[in-house]
Amino acid sequence: MTADQAPIRVLVAGLGNMGMSHAKAYAANPGYEIVGLVNRSQVALHESLRGHAILPSFDEALSELKPDLCSINTYSDSHADFAVKAMESGSHVFVEKPIATTVRDAERVVACARANDRKVVVGYILRHHPSWIRLIEEARGLGGPYVFRMNLNQQSSGRTWETHRRLMETTPPIVDCGVHYVDVMCQITDARPVKVRGMGLRLTDDIAPDMYNYGHFQVLFDDGSVGWYEAGWGPMMSETAFFVKDVISPNGCVSIVMNKGAKSDDHDTHTKTQLIRVHSAQMGPEGRFVRPDTDLSMADEPGHDELCEREQAFMLKAIRENIDLTRHMNDAVQSLRICLAADESVRSGVEINL
């Protein structure tokens, strides 16, 4: 085995839902060697990870183990600091979304990657999903300007609600989840986002007085496209119309159709599309539609863990083939900028110019 084929030595920080899935993906890929796991508390490990000790300190693990790659899956407010420390120590970085909790910190991560010639991949899992890739392709084929209608509400209880409350110590739902779907909007239209309008409401005493667990916003683009996104977490959220994914243009629309039995707190529900429906607005001389809607079955699409494996395969490829990730990083900063502007609009009550 040549030096460039040697396994990438990876340190995994954070063993929650996403961190555990990514750790399993590294364990399943011969291109990686897990050299350490970091978590603030001891947790049960998947059988593929047994034998690895769980270390309590990221800084100490980074200094002692000197990994080639740090996989940062901790709470959002630590993402930027951990990423910068990792790159300054010589490590490449995979970091879960959002890349940071402020635009300044996001730009600091990107600047550090450039200064140290390190690769940074942000965990936009939908970019590796064949069905979402197809959705974007079909929507672009229709041509703009577009109307984007997207949401992801989660009726959460028990451990899921506990996780949501912890996330909301630093990040509202429209930012934590919104960056995914704003990224999809920006991949479909090449237009520049110019304005954001947001509204939100605190629906529970279980979170801080200055936090809200329900929000929605509108983003306006310079080609006339408009987007709407909604996200709410908690035991009070409705299971009705919790998953809406529509892209509409003058020439028709593309929509994701979910199974009736889908549950809002199921991770696979967040990524599985079930069915993509393509509708053409073209009408004949009698004013009737020229063609029926086309349903694209996605029955064999990958599950959540397999998508994480695809993400980490891309991370490995980016390192070994020296892929230019400039656009990837800039897109991550842009989607965060839009969602943070939405949060600012919620809190200030005014429209934000980008």
Side-chain angles (χ1 to χ4, degrees), residues 216-229:
H216 67 262
F217 63 83
Q218 300 162 332
V219 54
L220 288 72
F221 296 85
D222 67 359
D223 70 340
S225 294
V226 295
W228 157 82
Y229 180 72

Side-chain angles (χ1 to χ4, degrees), residues 225-338:
S225 294
V226 295
W228 157 82
Y229 180 72
E230 173 192 62
W233 295 339
M236 74 295 294
M237 294 307 301
S238 170
E239 290 272 297
T240 301
F242 69 86
F243 187 103
V244 176
K245 302 292 184 293
D246 280 335
V247 184
I248 305 166
S249 91
N251 299 311
C253 60
V254 184
S255 310
I256 292 176
V257 181
M258 293 298 296
N259 285 339
K260 288 184 178 181
K263 301 293 289 183
S264 65
D265 66 346
D266 181 349
H267 264 227
D268 277 338
T269 294
H270 303 173
T271 54
K272 284 196 172 183
T273 60
Q274 311 296 337
L275 188 79
I276 294 177
R277 180 164 293 156
V278 182
H279 166 72
S280 170
Q282 184 180 1
M283 293 184 291
E286 296 181 356
R288 297 179 179 177
F289 291 122
V290 171
R291 64 179 68 91
D293 292 352
T294 301
D295 287 346
L296 307 174
S297 175
M298 299 295 159
D300 296 327
E301 64 183 0
H304 182 264
D305 282 354
E306 187 179 345
L307 285 171
C308 290
E309 291 176 4
R310 294 184 184 208
E311 277 190 285
Q312 300 312 329
F314 175 74
M315 181 80 249
L316 184 66
K317 182 181 177 71
I319 294 171
R320 287 188 168 169
E321 298 183 14
N322 193 27
I323 295 174
D324 184 354
L325 296 176
T326 301
R327 174 66 187 270
H328 177 89
M329 293 188 293
N330 290 344
D331 286 353
V333 174
Q334 175 173 262
S335 60
L336 179 66
R337 188 189 307 276
I338 293 169

